[in-house]
Amino acid sequence: MDIKTYSFEPHGDDRGQLVALEEYKDFPFAVKRVYYIYDTLKDVVRGHHAHKCLKQILICVHGSCRIHLDDGHETAEVLLDTPTKGLYIENDMWREMYDFSSDAVLLVLASELYDESDYIRNYDDFKAFVASKEN
Ligand code: TYD
């Protein structure tokens, strides 16, 4: 599976670190929405969905978590454990977020506003969506 990750350049100096991200320069879309997930309880698995249009960049800005990706044919696991690593998830990808450290803060940059009608929350519907795009 083709997984797109970014290694963001930190502007480190003797005061500490800073990462700056600009749309279309550091990732390939404009940001309409930002949200973050934190205080996730042990053994919780979030996500369990794909999107019809939405594109996202995931960055674990503190702590760590793992992302399960499924393109309808193959699966992959990605560890996010540094604020300099970004994971690009395009629309038609089933995703689950799990194994959150107790201090994890998962920042998400999203290409669209929140729209429940863009979600595909049933795995069989996701497989049908992938198949319909391939035919
Ligand atoms: P949910 O979709 O269950 O999160 P996840 O996919 O990470 O498991 O979202 C949890 C709640 O937050 C749900 O009531 C919808 C709401 N929500 C918003 O209002 N705006 C948003 O941008 C997001 C991502 C969720």
Coordinates of all heavy atoms in Angstrom, one line a residue, residues 10 23 27 43 47 64 108 124 130:
P10 N 11.7 20.7 11.9 CA 11.6 21.5 13.1 C 12.5 22.7 13.1 O 13.7 22.6 12.6 CB 11.9 20.6 14.3 CG 12.8 19.6 13.7 CD 12.5 19.5 12.2
E23 N -0.4 25.2 4.1 CA -1.2 24.5 3.1 C -0.6 24.6 1.7 O -0.1 25.6 1.3 CB -2.7 25.0 3.1 CG -2.8 26.4 2.8 CD -4.2 26.9 3.2 OE1 -4.9 26.3 4.1 OE2 -4.6 27.9 2.6
F27 N 1.8 20.2 2.8 CA 0.8 19.1 2.6 C -0.1 19.6 1.5 O -0.3 20.8 1.2 CB 0.1 18.7 3.9 CG -0.6 19.9 4.5 CD1 -1.8 20.3 4.2 CD2 0.1 20.6 5.5 CE1 -2.4 21.4 4.8 CE2 -0.5 21.7 6.1 CZ -1.8 22.0 5.8
D43 N -7.0 1.2 25.6 CA -7.7 0.2 24.8 C -8.8 0.7 23.9 O -9.5 0.0 23.3 CB -8.2 -1.0 25.7 CG -7.0 -1.7 26.4 OD1 -5.9 -1.7 25.9 OD2 -7.3 -2.2 27.5
G47 N -12.3 6.1 15.3 CA -12.3 6.0 13.8 C -13.4 5.1 13.3 O -14.5 5.4 13.4
S64 N 2.0 9.2 21.8 CA 2.0 8.3 20.6 C 0.7 7.6 20.4 O -0.1 7.5 21.3 CB 3.2 7.3 20.7 OG 2.9 6.5 21.8
V108 N -5.4 16.8 14.0 CA -5.9 16.5 12.6 C -6.2 17.8 11.9 O -6.9 18.6 12.3 CB -7.2 15.6 12.7 CG1 -7.6 15.2 11.3 CG2 -6.9 14.4 13.5
D124 N -18.7 -2.8 5.0 CA -19.2 -3.3 3.8 C -19.5 -2.2 2.8 O -19.3 -2.3 1.6 CB -20.5 -4.2 4.0 CG -20.1 -5.5 4.7 OD1 -18.9 -5.9 4.7 OD2 -21.0 -6.1 5.4
V130 N -15.2 1.4 -2.7 CA -13.9 1.2 -3.4 C -14.2 0.4 -4.7 O -13.6 0.8 -5.7 CB -13.0 0.4 -2.4 CG1 -11.7 -0.1 -3.2 CG2 -12.6 1.2 -1.2

